[in-house]
Amino acid sequence: MKECVDIVVIGAGVVGLAIAEALAAKNRLVIVLEKNDSFGREISSRNSEVIHAGIYYPKEFLKGSLCLWGSRLLYGWCERHAVPYRRIGKLIVATNAEECAALDRIKRTAEDNSVEGLEYLGQPQLRSQEPEVNALSALFSPNTGIVDTHRLMYTFLRSAEQKGAIVTYRSRVTALRFDGSVWDMEINDGEYHIGTKVLINSAGLHSDYIAALAGIDIDAAGYRLKPCKGNYFSAAPAPRIRHLIYPVPLKNNVGLGIHATMDLSNRVRFGPDQHYLSSGPPFDYAVDEALKPAFHASIRKYLPGISADSLKPEMSGIRPKIQGSGDPMKDFVIREESDRGLPGLINLIGIESPGMTACLAIGQYIREQGYCE
């Protein structure tokens, strides 16, 4: 007879681990299944490591409310668990009159979302803060930060395991069957099976595949992912900046533009750009050096001192978007599927940015919805 557990979480990225940490309890067995040989090997290890403030999203979006809630939870978690972070602050810079007007709209949206502390900087103030940045004005977000994502995930893992959760690697879900009360999960083409009453699909770039295995028409549901590759370049010598520097976002927030970020060792990276991919996994993570002129043209709008010769390919990541090219902005999907005849299945689809910032809030949200009682 196959083992039957209380909750299975598919995916040991930052969101899946945060969910496991939130749901694990003394009398509840939580299993996390991860197809790779360790945690956080995909989206969670290929991003800007930015703690966002929740600035850009419509008031009714989970992206906004969970980002704002998650940011507060995340800073508190980092303090309690000795996760390295810096509340470094972010400047959204406007280089022409149209972008200056966009800053007004961004500030109004952010304040509608209860984001606090945003401040306009005129050109003299901006030059004082960031002498190498050329812009007419900027919006300063003091609560934006950076974090060691790997250490963060490790603390989630450790806390979940201390509560009794089990994380098993090299465990790929290859079939799902539902008998009306229990989910039978085939692992590694039949190597073993697990039964569970609650199945949480936090599979990131593979979340639409898992939803399809469960019997959902992912096109009719709007769950089919449109993977979008974002490349990063580094610069040597690097510009001397003190804050994260962002341009005004692209239309419909398809991306936040090629921005300048720092890690905790003060290494500067530029990116990501946006390239929708024509096919799903496996993905090619190589960074094409031919992208350098486009990167240089974008960066020099606000950092005119940067030279093309200083830019070197760094890394890339893939975002699990449900928003296609030219589509209006799309929210996270966090949905229990009882109305589709699939009780106990909770799908998380399109958990892209600000998913890392929102991860603790996502775990709390799922717990508070009572899906797992």
Side-chain angles (χ1 to χ4, degrees):
M1 182 176 178
K2 65 177 176 290
E3 181 182 12
C4 190
V5 305
D6 298 302
I7 299 170
V8 169
V9 180
I10 302 176
V14 69
V15 174
L17 291 173
I19 292 169
E21 197 285 328
L23 299 181
K26 184 176 180 180
N27 297 314
R28 175 188 284 163
L29 181 54
V30 176
I31 302 288
V32 181
L33 299 175
E34 170 55 53
K35 68 180 181 60
N36 292 304
D37 58 7
S38 188
F39 61 86
R41 288 298 177 90
E42 296 185 359
I43 304 166
S44 300
S45 61
R46 293 176 170 273
N47 59 68
S48 300
E49 297 189 299
V50 172
I51 302 175
H52 291 287
I55 293 171
Y56 302 106
Y57 311 105
K59 188 176 180 68
E60 68 277 9
F61 270 31
L62 285 173
K63 282 184 175 179
S65 59
L66 293 178
C67 182
L68 188 65
W69 182 14
S71 173
R72 294 169 182 157
L73 292 175
L74 199 54
Y75 281 124
W77 180 279
C78 290
E79 285 288 337
R80 293 192 305 276
H81 295 270
V83 176
Y85 79 95
R86 285 165 57 198
R87 202 185 297 248
I88 194 172
K90 160 181 167 177
L91 290 163
I92 307 170
V93 298
T95 59
N96 57 45
E98 183 181 359
E99 291 179 351
C100 287
L103 291 186
D104 289 332
R105 296 192 295 272
I106 291 168
K107 188 169 188 288
R108 287 195 300 272
T109 297
E111 290 172 345
D112 281 347
N113 284 341
S114 302
V115 177
E116 298 177 345
L118 296 182
E119 178 186 355
Y120 281 120
L121 300 182
Q123 197 169 49
Q125 294 169 294
L126 179 57
R127 281 289 172 88
S128 173
Q129 291 284 328
E130 295 287 359
E132 294 195 26
V133 172
N134 180 40
L136 298 177
S137 62
L139 193 59
F140 177 55
S141 167
N143 288 318
T144 302
I146 52 177
V147 66
D148 181 338
T149 307
H150 187 273
R151 179 67 184 176
L152 178 68
M153 289 188 284
Y154 174 74
T155 61
F156 292 165
L157 172 65
R158 183 177 61 188
S159 179
E161 289 179 334
Q162 287 171 348
K163 294 179 180 181
I166 297 170
V167 180
T168 175
Y169 302 111
R170 295 178 290 280
S171 297
R172 184 170 57 92
V173 178
T174 49
L176 292 171
R177 299 174 186 88
F178 184 59
D179 67 6
S181 61
V182 172
W183 288 93
D184 174 24
M185 310 180 65
E186 177 192 275
I187 312 300
N188 298 339
D189 296 310
E191 181 181 339
Y192 63 98
H193 287 251
I194 294 177
T196 184
K197 297 175 183 178
V198 176
L199 174 58
I200 301 176
N201 172 16
S202 183
L205 290 164
H206 311 273
S207 56
D208 57 347
Y209 166 76
I210 296 296
L213 283 184
I216 292 175
D217 182 332
I218 59 174
D219 291 306
Y223 289 179
R224 186 176 295 279
L225 296 179
K226 287 90 173 175
C228 186
K229 183 175 182 179
N231 299 282
Y232 292 82
F233 278 68
S234 59
R240 294 183 296 275
I241 55 176
R242 300 168 53 204
H243 306 86
L244 310 179
I245 312 296
Y246 280 60
V248 169
L250 303 176
K251 185 179 179 182
N252 292 326
N253 272 29
V254 68
L256 299 183
I258 293 174
H259 45 270
T261 64
M262 282 181 285
D263 63 18
L264 291 163
S265 62
N266 294 320
R267 188 167 56 95
V268 177
R269 267 193 314 221
F270 296 100
D273 58 358
Q274 297 82 33
H275 298 276
Y276 278 94
L277 304 178
S278 58
S279 61
F283 297 113
D284 177 6
Y285 288 100
V287 179
D288 187 349
E289 191 153 5
L291 296 170
K292 183 190 291 189
F295 266 74
H296 182 239
S298 294
I299 298 163
R300 68 189 301 273
K301 289 178 183 177
Y302 58 89
L303 280 170
I306 199 84
S307 73
D309 289 342
S310 72
L311 296 176
K312 304 292 184 232
E314 171 81 9
M315 69 166 197
S316 71
I318 314 291
R319 283 161 286 181
K321 284 185 170 291
I322 51 175
Q323 175 184 346
S325 178
D327 288 348
M329 199 186 311
K330 297 284 182 74
D331 198 6
F332 292 155
V333 173
I334 303 176
R335 193 177 193 278
E336 201 274 341
E337 303 287 2
S338 287
D339 64 348
R340 290 194 168 101
L342 303 170
L345 174 62
I346 303 164
N347 277 314
L348 284 79
I349 313 288
I351 310 297
E352 53 164 328
S353 181
M356 187 273 288
T357 304
C359 63
L360 285 169
I362 291 172
Q364 296 291 335
Y365 176 81
I366 289 173
R367 186 170 70 183
E368 291 181 6
Q369 294 300 308
Y371 296 145
C372 304
E373 300 304 321

